[in-house]
Amino acid sequence: MYASARSRSNILSSASKRSVNQAEKAVVKPPVQVLDEAGNDVTPLPLLHSDPSAVKKNQSNILADSSAGTPTDLMSQASIYNTGNVTASTFGGGPFTRSVFSASQGTTSDSMMGEDITEPSQDMSSAWAEIRHKREEVKETLTEDDLDKVVNLTLTETETIWLLDMPGTSVSNEAEEAAKIKKRNEEYQELKKNRVGNDLYMERGMNTFNEPAKYKTVQTTKITCVDTGIMASTWDMYDTFEQRDQEIRAKEKEEEEEGTISRPSSPKEGEDGKAGAKPQVGEPSGLVREDGAKPSVSGQPHSESRATMASSMAGSESVFASRETGVSSVPSEMSAVEEEKIFKSENFQRDLFIMERVVNLNTYQPKQALYRDFPIIPDIDREVTEMGDKQVSMVSDMGPNFDRLWSYSCKLTNGRNISCMSWNKLNPDLIAVGYGEFEFSDQKSGLICCWCLKNPDYPERVFTCKEGVTALDFSKAYPNLLAVGMYDGGVAIYNVASMKDEPIVDNFHTPGKHTAPVWHIKWIEKERGSGEETSEVVVSISTDGRVTQWSIRKGFECYDIMKLKRTPTRMGGKKEKKGEAFISRHAGGMCFDFHTKEPNIYVAGTEEGHIHKCSCSYNEQYLETYNGHTGPVYKIEWSPFVSDLFLSCSADWSIRLWHQERTQPVLNFFSSTKSVYDVVWSPKSSTVFACVNEGAVEVWDLSISTLDPIITNNPTSGAKKTSVSFSKNSDCILVGDSKGELTVYQLRSMPEPPQTRRRH
Amino acid sequence: MAEVEETFKRIQAHKGVIGVIVVNSEGIPIRSTLDNSTTVQYAGLISQLAAKARSTVRDIDPGNDLTFLRIRSKKHEIMVAPENEYLLIVIQNPDAV
């Protein structure tokens, strides 16, 4: 019985009872009848005979849960037996219901419900209508509380619905019925044989109806066929495999990383997300790599976009195809965005940089080849004038001479005085040049430029300083550090590897700052204590009389190695002048140089002309004093070959060669009437050195003559020559002047350097 | 960005340089110091040549790639820096006084 019926009102129960009675009737007579011409009842019978018990069960489910039942729930619960009515109620009864089930349902409608109840002859359909009606009433009595009620939904499996059942006509030999079937087959064979002449069987013809064929036309859109050709070149395939390998490697690396990091709450999500994102990431990057097209750029010609998709799938696409199709018009606003992107990219900067060097190379190639001592191969297409040949022959007849190769100068450096130069210890093609005025009267801001052999037109690095630069040195241990001394006594350390225009440390605000221009600065390797490694410190000397050591271990500390004191001049033979009143006890220091073999000994030149040999261990006393110069000593340098000799040059127009054991100079060189600003030993030959005085560059060779320089070069530019340096990896000499030009000269026809032999 | 502009100007102003062209990946010139017809001509022809050169290099050894291309002719030299996203072309006459 209907379980739910008990919970209903009397009217309902009576109705349901009636419906039960009616449902139990075995045969249901449909109200609508189809009669053929003969008056036979050919009403199509329902395909399925509803099982009342099953119906009842399903119904009870429906009614009990009607408050919570949704159409889909009902559908799942109800079998086809009563689906028809349910669908009729929920979907408004479609033609489907009419044709499959009792046709009377088509006549069932809400308006007829009342009639259905009263007519007892109605069949199941009316019962459904009642039930439906009942269900709707139930719905209306729902209250808000019912919503919070816990409703139990029972999901049951419906009966199996057979849609197609084709029993097989063959059975496996190993099946259980095989024997039985075989027997039957044999019997049938026998029967067939018997049939031939048997009286029990009679031939008779049959005619089947030939149904007329009906043609139906269907129209579809045209199926377009496209032919695509793809060419795979060796590197295309290599690229694809490379990329795939990279992705796999990247994924592995990420998975490794995830394992080590503590997992967040949803690691799986992350992995899935990544796995999902990666193929997408891989594809666009593949597009970029293979075709050079940006996925963000829209409006590409269709063939190209199709081709790119094909490339990511098939892994090969000819670059030519994409390029050629791409030459067609592209909207102009896209090119502006692209342009920005291109110009900002690192690659472009690097390419420009290389291109500049290449362009320069074209211009300076013969000169640079000379620098490196390469033979010059003349350009065969170039028109060679006759003059050129003559000049070449003339030059080789002369003695040792200079050949001007080129000069480093640019707009920035015009008009500035070159005060100092320093070669980079790691890269012998790189030279740092400091620009700063010597005179107090025309001070301007200072400049440091790092020039490279490969680009004579523009420096690699430019650093601006507030004060004029008067001293420079590259570090040996850290070849990218450059120590700078300035006119106001400041010492700064720059890192040339970076493009920033600031020093990494400076002493502008430390109390130990020099109070006068720093004339010389050098990186010295010092042994610190016992057992510690040698570290480099910066030593500077300045007119305030202090020789100061700066270390960058903690901040920028300074430590005075020595305070230069004035010593009364001792004239040979005469009595010392005693009791001279000094204005300042300190002597201004102009230059210094540390001994090549003993790192604690150094010589320092002063403004008064004295040269003092000092030791780092004693900061009050001099070990030795060398008197000879009568003017400020501008430069002093130990010989790189003979460790006891050093050279000094001074404003008294002279250069003097000293031995550290003797207080009097070994040799004196007077060649001009101008103060000598710089002197430097040649790194290749022990008897050669170069010096610059205001008007000329001179190269001396002691093995040839000690009275005259072997080369004197008076350039006509009119600028004062202020500094000179030999090139480490070539036979060239660099001369800086007061107009900011650094000229490179090649030394030619130099005499052979002497074999190393000991000199006293 | 300013650095780039400066370097660009310096190359342009260098002795003997006739023109500088920057071409994007599709062969369209985006920056040039020459007149339009010459630029377009150079851009199209050089792009193709660079692509062919790169293909040649990579066919021989796929791990290799083209970094720079220089074509020296009687009258001048064309220097090309090829990249995936662009092409930088400089035409210079090295014998110019």
Side-chain angles (χ1 to χ4, degrees), chain A residues 239 292 323 338 347-348 350-351 356 360 362-363 457-458, chain B residues 10 14-15 24-25 31 58-59 62 70 77 79 83 86 92:
Chain A
D239 271 346
R323 283 263 170 91
E338 264 182 34
N347 272 349
F348 192 70
R350 192 197 65 203
D351 278 344
E356 194 183 352
N360 270 310
N362 266 336
T363 326
D457 269 346
Y458 196 76
Chain B
R10 281 207 303 276
H14 194 87
K15 188 179 84 144
N24 72 356
S25 53
R31 178 79 84 100
R58 299 208 71 200
D59 269 340
R70 285 168 88 164
E77 177 163 359
M79 291 159 281
E83 290 286 337
Y86 61 86
Q92 187 193 21

PDB file of all heavy atoms in Angstrom, chain A residues 239 292 323 338 347-348 350-351 356 360 362-363 457-458, chain B residues 10 14-15 24-25 31 58-59 62 70 77 79 83 86 92:
ATOM      1  N   ASP A 239      66.296  22.445 -32.143  1.00  0.00           N
ATOM      2  CA  ASP A 239      65.671  23.437 -31.265  1.00  0.00           C
ATOM      3  C   ASP A 239      64.532  22.848 -30.471  1.00  0.00           C
ATOM      4  O   ASP A 239      64.400  23.075 -29.276  1.00  0.00           O
ATOM      5  CB  ASP A 239      65.116  24.601 -32.102  1.00  0.00           C
ATOM      6  CG  ASP A 239      66.155  25.679 -32.300  1.00  0.00           C
ATOM      7  OD1 ASP A 239      67.162  25.656 -31.594  1.00  0.00           O
ATOM      8  OD2 ASP A 239      65.936  26.524 -33.181  1.00  0.00           O
ATOM      9  N   GLY A 292      60.302  34.025 -33.995  1.00  0.00           N
ATOM     10  CA  GLY A 292      60.615  35.405 -33.707  1.00  0.00           C
ATOM     11  C   GLY A 292      59.382  36.274 -33.623  1.00  0.00           C
ATOM     12  O   GLY A 292      59.463  37.480 -33.578  1.00  0.00           O
ATOM     13  N   ARG A 323      58.991  34.432 -42.316  1.00  0.00           N
ATOM     14  CA  ARG A 323      59.519  35.756 -42.628  1.00  0.00           C
ATOM     15  C   ARG A 323      58.876  36.313 -43.878  1.00  0.00           C
ATOM     16  O   ARG A 323      58.505  37.466 -43.952  1.00  0.00           O
ATOM     17  CB  ARG A 323      61.031  35.673 -42.856  1.00  0.00           C
ATOM     18  CG  ARG A 323      61.816  35.564 -41.571  1.00  0.00           C
ATOM     19  CD  ARG A 323      62.317  36.910 -41.161  1.00  0.00           C
ATOM     20  NE  ARG A 323      62.877  36.880 -39.806  1.00  0.00           N
ATOM     21  CZ  ARG A 323      64.129  36.638 -39.542  1.00  0.00           C
ATOM     22  NH1 ARG A 323      64.966  36.386 -40.501  1.00  0.00           N
ATOM     23  NH2 ARG A 323      64.550  36.638 -38.295  1.00  0.00           N
ATOM     24  N   GLU A 338      56.973  47.709 -30.256  1.00  0.00           N
ATOM     25  CA  GLU A 338      58.103  46.804 -30.487  1.00  0.00           C
ATOM     26  C   GLU A 338      59.417  47.548 -30.384  1.00  0.00           C
ATOM     27  O   GLU A 338      60.375  47.063 -29.811  1.00  0.00           O
ATOM     28  CB  GLU A 338      57.996  46.246 -31.901  1.00  0.00           C
ATOM     29  CG  GLU A 338      57.342  44.909 -31.965  1.00  0.00           C
ATOM     30  CD  GLU A 338      57.329  44.405 -33.387  1.00  0.00           C
ATOM     31  OE1 GLU A 338      58.279  44.692 -34.119  1.00  0.00           O
ATOM     32  OE2 GLU A 338      56.359  43.751 -33.724  1.00  0.00           O
ATOM     33  N   ASN A 347      70.054  42.797 -25.140  1.00  0.00           N
ATOM     34  CA  ASN A 347      70.717  42.334 -26.355  1.00  0.00           C
ATOM     35  C   ASN A 347      71.051  43.492 -27.266  1.00  0.00           C
ATOM     36  O   ASN A 347      72.130  43.543 -27.857  1.00  0.00           O
ATOM     37  CB  ASN A 347      69.794  41.376 -27.115  1.00  0.00           C
ATOM     38  CG  ASN A 347      69.976  39.965 -26.632  1.00  0.00           C
ATOM     39  OD1 ASN A 347      70.908  39.689 -25.908  1.00  0.00           O
ATOM     40  ND2 ASN A 347      69.083  39.109 -27.051  1.00  0.00           N
ATOM     41  N   PHE A 348      70.103  44.420 -27.347  1.00  0.00           N
ATOM     42  CA  PHE A 348      70.331  45.531 -28.244  1.00  0.00           C
ATOM     43  C   PHE A 348      71.489  46.368 -27.782  1.00  0.00           C
ATOM     44  O   PHE A 348      72.328  46.797 -28.575  1.00  0.00           O
ATOM     45  CB  PHE A 348      69.059  46.379 -28.327  1.00  0.00           C
ATOM     46  CG  PHE A 348      69.089  47.367 -29.437  1.00  0.00           C
ATOM     47  CD1 PHE A 348      69.013  46.957 -30.742  1.00  0.00           C
ATOM     48  CD2 PHE A 348      69.210  48.720 -29.170  1.00  0.00           C
ATOM     49  CE1 PHE A 348      69.044  47.864 -31.783  1.00  0.00           C
ATOM     50  CE2 PHE A 348      69.239  49.632 -30.210  1.00  0.00           C
ATOM     51  CZ  PHE A 348      69.155  49.205 -31.507  1.00  0.00           C
ATOM     52  N   ARG A 350      73.990  45.399 -26.055  1.00  0.00           N
ATOM     53  CA  ARG A 350      75.231  44.683 -26.286  1.00  0.00           C
ATOM     54  C   ARG A 350      75.603  44.742 -27.748  1.00  0.00           C
ATOM     55  O   ARG A 350      76.764  44.908 -28.101  1.00  0.00           O
ATOM     56  CB  ARG A 350      75.031  43.244 -25.816  1.00  0.00           C
ATOM     57  CG  ARG A 350      76.313  42.467 -25.729  1.00  0.00           C
ATOM     58  CD  ARG A 350      76.023  41.010 -25.676  1.00  0.00           C
ATOM     59  NE  ARG A 350      75.410  40.597 -26.915  1.00  0.00           N
ATOM     60  CZ  ARG A 350      74.647  39.520 -27.033  1.00  0.00           C
ATOM     61  NH1 ARG A 350      74.401  38.779 -26.005  1.00  0.00           N
ATOM     62  NH2 ARG A 350      74.117  39.204 -28.184  1.00  0.00           N
ATOM     63  N   ASP A 351      74.589  44.570 -28.599  1.00  0.00           N
ATOM     64  CA  ASP A 351      74.878  44.601 -30.029  1.00  0.00           C
ATOM     65  C   ASP A 351      75.396  45.956 -30.470  1.00  0.00           C
ATOM     66  O   ASP A 351      76.314  46.049 -31.286  1.00  0.00           O
ATOM     67  CB  ASP A 351      73.615  44.259 -30.825  1.00  0.00           C
ATOM     68  CG  ASP A 351      73.421  42.764 -30.903  1.00  0.00           C
ATOM     69  OD1 ASP A 351      74.383  42.040 -30.633  1.00  0.00           O
ATOM     70  OD2 ASP A 351      72.312  42.341 -31.222  1.00  0.00           O
ATOM     71  N   GLU A 356      79.708  49.260 -32.324  1.00  0.00           N
ATOM     72  CA  GLU A 356      80.558  50.452 -32.246  1.00  0.00           C
ATOM     73  C   GLU A 356      82.018  50.060 -32.348  1.00  0.00           C
ATOM     74  O   GLU A 356      82.813  50.694 -33.038  1.00  0.00           O
ATOM     75  CB  GLU A 356      80.296  51.175 -30.925  1.00  0.00           C
ATOM     76  CG  GLU A 356      80.869  52.562 -30.921  1.00  0.00           C
ATOM     77  CD  GLU A 356      80.688  53.257 -29.602  1.00  0.00           C
ATOM     78  OE1 GLU A 356      79.985  52.699 -28.739  1.00  0.00           O
ATOM     79  OE2 GLU A 356      81.257  54.334 -29.459  1.00  0.00           O
ATOM     80  N   ASN A 360      84.634  51.072 -35.251  1.00  0.00           N
ATOM     81  CA  ASN A 360      85.926  51.677 -34.928  1.00  0.00           C
ATOM     82  C   ASN A 360      87.066  50.860 -35.495  1.00  0.00           C
ATOM     83  O   ASN A 360      88.060  51.397 -35.977  1.00  0.00           O
ATOM     84  CB  ASN A 360      86.096  51.738 -33.410  1.00  0.00           C
ATOM     85  CG  ASN A 360      85.561  53.024 -32.869  1.00  0.00           C
ATOM     86  OD1 ASN A 360      85.898  54.078 -33.376  1.00  0.00           O
ATOM     87  ND2 ASN A 360      84.717  52.943 -31.877  1.00  0.00           N
ATOM     88  N   ASN A 362      87.125  49.211 -38.093  1.00  0.00           N
ATOM     89  CA  ASN A 362      87.290  49.481 -39.506  1.00  0.00           C
ATOM     90  C   ASN A 362      88.152  50.702 -39.751  1.00  0.00           C
ATOM     91  O   ASN A 362      88.989  50.738 -40.647  1.00  0.00           O
ATOM     92  CB  ASN A 362      85.918  49.732 -40.157  1.00  0.00           C
ATOM     93  CG  ASN A 362      85.369  48.467 -40.751  1.00  0.00           C
ATOM     94  OD1 ASN A 362      86.120  47.569 -41.077  1.00  0.00           O
ATOM     95  ND2 ASN A 362      84.070  48.417 -40.878  1.00  0.00           N
ATOM     96  N   THR A 363      87.928  51.696 -38.900  1.00  0.00           N
ATOM     97  CA  THR A 363      88.661  52.936 -39.107  1.00  0.00           C
ATOM     98  C   THR A 363      90.095  52.807 -38.640  1.00  0.00           C
ATOM     99  O   THR A 363      91.008  53.308 -39.265  1.00  0.00           O
ATOM    100  CB  THR A 363      87.991  54.052 -38.292  1.00  0.00           C
ATOM    101  OG1 THR A 363      86.604  53.830 -38.266  1.00  0.00           O
ATOM    102  CG2 THR A 363      88.305  55.394 -38.890  1.00  0.00           C
ATOM    103  N   ASP A 457      87.323  56.225 -29.614  1.00  0.00           N
ATOM    104  CA  ASP A 457      86.487  57.408 -29.746  1.00  0.00           C
ATOM    105  C   ASP A 457      85.727  57.781 -28.495  1.00  0.00           C
ATOM    106  O   ASP A 457      85.295  58.913 -28.358  1.00  0.00           O
ATOM    107  CB  ASP A 457      85.453  57.180 -30.851  1.00  0.00           C
ATOM    108  CG  ASP A 457      85.983  57.651 -32.175  1.00  0.00           C
ATOM    109  OD1 ASP A 457      86.989  58.368 -32.177  1.00  0.00           O
ATOM    110  OD2 ASP A 457      85.388  57.285 -33.191  1.00  0.00           O
ATOM    111  N   TYR A 458      85.502  56.819 -27.666  1.00  0.00           N
ATOM    112  CA  TYR A 458      84.680  57.121 -26.496  1.00  0.00           C
ATOM    113  C   TYR A 458      85.108  56.218 -25.363  1.00  0.00           C
ATOM    114  O   TYR A 458      85.360  55.034 -25.581  1.00  0.00           O
ATOM    115  CB  TYR A 458      83.198  56.892 -26.821  1.00  0.00           C
ATOM    116  CG  TYR A 458      82.291  57.532 -25.817  1.00  0.00           C
ATOM    117  CD1 TYR A 458      82.084  58.901 -25.826  1.00  0.00           C
ATOM    118  CD2 TYR A 458      81.659  56.773 -24.853  1.00  0.00           C
ATOM    119  CE1 TYR A 458      81.262  59.495 -24.906  1.00  0.00           C
ATOM    120  CE2 TYR A 458      80.836  57.367 -23.917  1.00  0.00           C
ATOM    121  CZ  TYR A 458      80.647  58.734 -23.951  1.00  0.00           C
ATOM    122  OH  TYR A 458      79.840  59.318 -23.026  1.00  0.00           O
TER     123      TYR A 458
ATOM    124  N   ARG B  10      76.627  57.987 -31.540  1.00  0.00           N
ATOM    125  CA  ARG B  10      78.075  57.945 -31.766  1.00  0.00           C
ATOM    126  C   ARG B  10      78.411  57.107 -32.987  1.00  0.00           C
ATOM    127  O   ARG B  10      79.292  57.465 -33.774  1.00  0.00           O
ATOM    128  CB  ARG B  10      78.779  57.354 -30.542  1.00  0.00           C
ATOM    129  CG  ARG B  10      78.946  58.312 -29.408  1.00  0.00           C
ATOM    130  CD  ARG B  10      80.133  57.913 -28.594  1.00  0.00           C
ATOM    131  NE  ARG B  10      80.027  56.554 -28.089  1.00  0.00           N
ATOM    132  CZ  ARG B  10      79.387  56.229 -26.986  1.00  0.00           C
ATOM    133  NH1 ARG B  10      78.807  57.171 -26.263  1.00  0.00           N
ATOM    134  NH2 ARG B  10      79.337  54.981 -26.590  1.00  0.00           N
ATOM    135  N   HIS B  14      80.236  58.385 -36.492  1.00  0.00           N
ATOM    136  CA  HIS B  14      81.595  57.894 -36.685  1.00  0.00           C
ATOM    137  C   HIS B  14      82.047  58.105 -38.110  1.00  0.00           C
ATOM    138  O   HIS B  14      81.249  58.156 -39.034  1.00  0.00           O
ATOM    139  CB  HIS B  14      81.635  56.405 -36.325  1.00  0.00           C
ATOM    140  CG  HIS B  14      83.010  55.890 -36.174  1.00  0.00           C
ATOM    141  ND1 HIS B  14      83.697  55.951 -35.008  1.00  0.00           N
ATOM    142  CD2 HIS B  14      83.840  55.320 -37.082  1.00  0.00           C
ATOM    143  CE1 HIS B  14      84.885  55.425 -35.168  1.00  0.00           C
ATOM    144  NE2 HIS B  14      85.001  55.028 -36.427  1.00  0.00           N
ATOM    145  N   LYS B  15      83.347  58.159 -38.252  1.00  0.00           N
ATOM    146  CA  LYS B  15      83.920  58.440 -39.558  1.00  0.00           C
ATOM    147  C   LYS B  15      83.547  57.350 -40.548  1.00  0.00           C
ATOM    148  O   LYS B  15      83.752  56.170 -40.293  1.00  0.00           O
ATOM    149  CB  LYS B  15      85.437  58.510 -39.402  1.00  0.00           C
ATOM    150  CG  LYS B  15      86.149  58.993 -40.639  1.00  0.00           C
ATOM    151  CD  LYS B  15      87.632  59.061 -40.394  1.00  0.00           C
ATOM    152  CE  LYS B  15      88.219  57.689 -40.632  1.00  0.00           C
ATOM    153  NZ  LYS B  15      89.536  57.714 -41.233  1.00  0.00           N
ATOM    154  N   ASN B  24      62.876  45.060 -37.479  1.00  0.00           N
ATOM    155  CA  ASN B  24      62.288  44.122 -36.516  1.00  0.00           C
ATOM    156  C   ASN B  24      62.213  42.721 -37.106  1.00  0.00           C
ATOM    157  O   ASN B  24      62.665  42.476 -38.223  1.00  0.00           O
ATOM    158  CB  ASN B  24      60.909  44.618 -36.059  1.00  0.00           C
ATOM    159  CG  ASN B  24      59.876  44.490 -37.150  1.00  0.00           C
ATOM    160  OD1 ASN B  24      60.182  44.094 -38.278  1.00  0.00           O
ATOM    161  ND2 ASN B  24      58.640  44.817 -36.836  1.00  0.00           N
ATOM    162  N   SER B  25      61.624  41.814 -36.358  1.00  0.00           N
ATOM    163  CA  SER B  25      61.690  40.408 -36.744  1.00  0.00           C
ATOM    164  C   SER B  25      60.939  40.117 -38.031  1.00  0.00           C
ATOM    165  O   SER B  25      61.152  39.098 -38.670  1.00  0.00           O
ATOM    166  CB  SER B  25      61.122  39.540 -35.633  1.00  0.00           C
ATOM    167  OG  SER B  25      59.837  40.010 -35.307  1.00  0.00           O
ATOM    168  N   ARG B  31      63.946  51.839 -37.364  1.00  0.00           N
ATOM    169  CA  ARG B  31      64.736  53.061 -37.156  1.00  0.00           C
ATOM    170  C   ARG B  31      65.764  53.106 -38.262  1.00  0.00           C
ATOM    171  O   ARG B  31      66.407  52.094 -38.542  1.00  0.00           O
ATOM    172  CB  ARG B  31      65.396  52.962 -35.775  1.00  0.00           C
ATOM    173  CG  ARG B  31      66.282  54.053 -35.365  1.00  0.00           C
ATOM    174  CD  ARG B  31      65.592  55.282 -34.875  1.00  0.00           C
ATOM    175  NE  ARG B  31      65.212  55.236 -33.476  1.00  0.00           N
ATOM    176  CZ  ARG B  31      65.903  55.824 -32.500  1.00  0.00           C
ATOM    177  NH1 ARG B  31      66.995  56.479 -32.780  1.00  0.00           N
ATOM    178  NH2 ARG B  31      65.479  55.754 -31.271  1.00  0.00           N
ATOM    179  N   ARG B  58      73.602  26.849 -38.755  1.00  0.00           N
ATOM    180  CA  ARG B  58      72.940  25.907 -37.869  1.00  0.00           C
ATOM    181  C   ARG B  58      72.767  24.547 -38.496  1.00  0.00           C
ATOM    182  O   ARG B  58      72.708  23.546 -37.794  1.00  0.00           O
ATOM    183  CB  ARG B  58      71.587  26.464 -37.442  1.00  0.00           C
ATOM    184  CG  ARG B  58      71.754  27.760 -36.688  1.00  0.00           C
ATOM    185  CD  ARG B  58      70.654  27.993 -35.733  1.00  0.00           C
ATOM    186  NE  ARG B  58      70.742  27.096 -34.620  1.00  0.00           N
ATOM    187  CZ  ARG B  58      69.709  26.828 -33.830  1.00  0.00           C
ATOM    188  NH1 ARG B  58      68.558  27.391 -34.057  1.00  0.00           N
ATOM    189  NH2 ARG B  58      69.854  26.000 -32.835  1.00  0.00           N
ATOM    190  N   ASP B  59      72.676  24.514 -39.794  1.00  0.00           N
ATOM    191  CA  ASP B  59      72.564  23.206 -40.434  1.00  0.00           C
ATOM    192  C   ASP B  59      73.838  22.406 -40.254  1.00  0.00           C
ATOM    193  O   ASP B  59      73.802  21.191 -40.047  1.00  0.00           O
ATOM    194  CB  ASP B  59      72.279  23.375 -41.936  1.00  0.00           C
ATOM    195  CG  ASP B  59      70.794  23.406 -42.218  1.00  0.00           C
ATOM    196  OD1 ASP B  59      70.027  22.936 -41.350  1.00  0.00           O
ATOM    197  OD2 ASP B  59      70.400  23.888 -43.285  1.00  0.00           O
ATOM    198  N   PRO B  62      73.867  22.233 -35.258  1.00  0.00           N
ATOM    199  CA  PRO B  62      72.694  22.899 -34.672  1.00  0.00           C
ATOM    200  C   PRO B  62      72.986  23.584 -33.347  1.00  0.00           C
ATOM    201  O   PRO B  62      72.234  24.454 -32.926  1.00  0.00           O
ATOM    202  CB  PRO B  62      71.691  21.757 -34.462  1.00  0.00           C
ATOM    203  CG  PRO B  62      72.192  20.642 -35.284  1.00  0.00           C
ATOM    204  CD  PRO B  62      73.651  20.799 -35.448  1.00  0.00           C
ATOM    205  N   ARG B  70      79.439  40.152 -41.651  1.00  0.00           N
ATOM    206  CA  ARG B  70      80.036  41.328 -42.291  1.00  0.00           C
ATOM    207  C   ARG B  70      80.218  41.052 -43.757  1.00  0.00           C
ATOM    208  O   ARG B  70      80.742  40.017 -44.134  1.00  0.00           O
ATOM    209  CB  ARG B  70      81.406  41.611 -41.685  1.00  0.00           C
ATOM    210  CG  ARG B  70      81.326  42.225 -40.320  1.00  0.00           C
ATOM    211  CD  ARG B  70      82.664  42.216 -39.681  1.00  0.00           C
ATOM    212  NE  ARG B  70      83.402  43.416 -40.048  1.00  0.00           N
ATOM    213  CZ  ARG B  70      84.474  43.839 -39.410  1.00  0.00           C
ATOM    214  NH1 ARG B  70      84.936  43.158 -38.417  1.00  0.00           N
ATOM    215  NH2 ARG B  70      85.094  44.919 -39.787  1.00  0.00           N
ATOM    216  N   GLU B  77      81.304  48.564 -46.499  1.00  0.00           N
ATOM    217  CA  GLU B  77      81.134  47.342 -45.728  1.00  0.00           C
ATOM    218  C   GLU B  77      79.803  47.384 -44.993  1.00  0.00           C
ATOM    219  O   GLU B  77      79.439  48.414 -44.425  1.00  0.00           O
ATOM    220  CB  GLU B  77      82.267  47.214 -44.706  1.00  0.00           C
ATOM    221  CG  GLU B  77      82.111  46.008 -43.816  1.00  0.00           C
ATOM    222  CD  GLU B  77      83.395  45.657 -43.102  1.00  0.00           C
ATOM    223  OE1 GLU B  77      84.387  46.346 -43.328  1.00  0.00           O
ATOM    224  OE2 GLU B  77      83.378  44.688 -42.322  1.00  0.00           O
ATOM    225  N   MET B  79      77.680  45.716 -41.994  1.00  0.00           N
ATOM    226  CA  MET B  79      77.838  44.919 -40.794  1.00  0.00           C
ATOM    227  C   MET B  79      76.462  44.657 -40.201  1.00  0.00           C
ATOM    228  O   MET B  79      75.690  45.587 -40.011  1.00  0.00           O
ATOM    229  CB  MET B  79      78.708  45.665 -39.788  1.00  0.00           C
ATOM    230  CG  MET B  79      80.132  45.762 -40.272  1.00  0.00           C
ATOM    231  SD  MET B  79      81.020  47.078 -39.466  1.00  0.00           S
ATOM    232  CE  MET B  79      80.413  48.445 -40.370  1.00  0.00           C
ATOM    233  N   GLU B  83      69.625  39.085 -34.417  1.00  0.00           N
ATOM    234  CA  GLU B  83      69.061  38.545 -33.191  1.00  0.00           C
ATOM    235  C   GLU B  83      67.701  37.977 -33.522  1.00  0.00           C
ATOM    236  O   GLU B  83      67.221  38.139 -34.630  1.00  0.00           O
ATOM    237  CB  GLU B  83      68.883  39.650 -32.132  1.00  0.00           C
ATOM    238  CG  GLU B  83      70.138  40.189 -31.558  1.00  0.00           C
ATOM    239  CD  GLU B  83      70.788  39.231 -30.592  1.00  0.00           C
ATOM    240  OE1 GLU B  83      70.075  38.370 -30.058  1.00  0.00           O
ATOM    241  OE2 GLU B  83      71.994  39.340 -30.392  1.00  0.00           O
ATOM    242  N   TYR B  86      65.301  41.241 -33.639  1.00  0.00           N
ATOM    243  CA  TYR B  86      65.589  42.409 -34.484  1.00  0.00           C
ATOM    244  C   TYR B  86      66.861  42.167 -35.256  1.00  0.00           C
ATOM    245  O   TYR B  86      67.521  41.145 -35.101  1.00  0.00           O
ATOM    246  CB  TYR B  86      65.747  43.664 -33.614  1.00  0.00           C
ATOM    247  CG  TYR B  86      66.883  43.553 -32.636  1.00  0.00           C
ATOM    248  CD1 TYR B  86      68.180  43.885 -33.009  1.00  0.00           C
ATOM    249  CD2 TYR B  86      66.661  43.074 -31.354  1.00  0.00           C
ATOM    250  CE1 TYR B  86      69.217  43.743 -32.127  1.00  0.00           C
ATOM    251  CE2 TYR B  86      67.702  42.936 -30.477  1.00  0.00           C
ATOM    252  CZ  TYR B  86      68.973  43.283 -30.859  1.00  0.00           C
ATOM    253  OH  TYR B  86      70.003  43.145 -29.978  1.00  0.00           O
ATOM    254  N   GLN B  92      79.185  51.119 -43.626  1.00  0.00           N
ATOM    255  CA  GLN B  92      80.316  52.031 -43.416  1.00  0.00           C
ATOM    256  C   GLN B  92      81.256  51.961 -44.602  1.00  0.00           C
ATOM    257  O   GLN B  92      81.463  50.912 -45.194  1.00  0.00           O
ATOM    258  CB  GLN B  92      81.058  51.628 -42.144  1.00  0.00           C
ATOM    259  CG  GLN B  92      82.135  52.616 -41.777  1.00  0.00           C
ATOM    260  CD  GLN B  92      83.076  52.069 -40.726  1.00  0.00           C
ATOM    261  OE1 GLN B  92      83.154  50.872 -40.556  1.00  0.00           O
ATOM    262  NE2 GLN B  92      83.760  52.957 -40.048  1.00  0.00           N
TER     263      GLN B  92
END
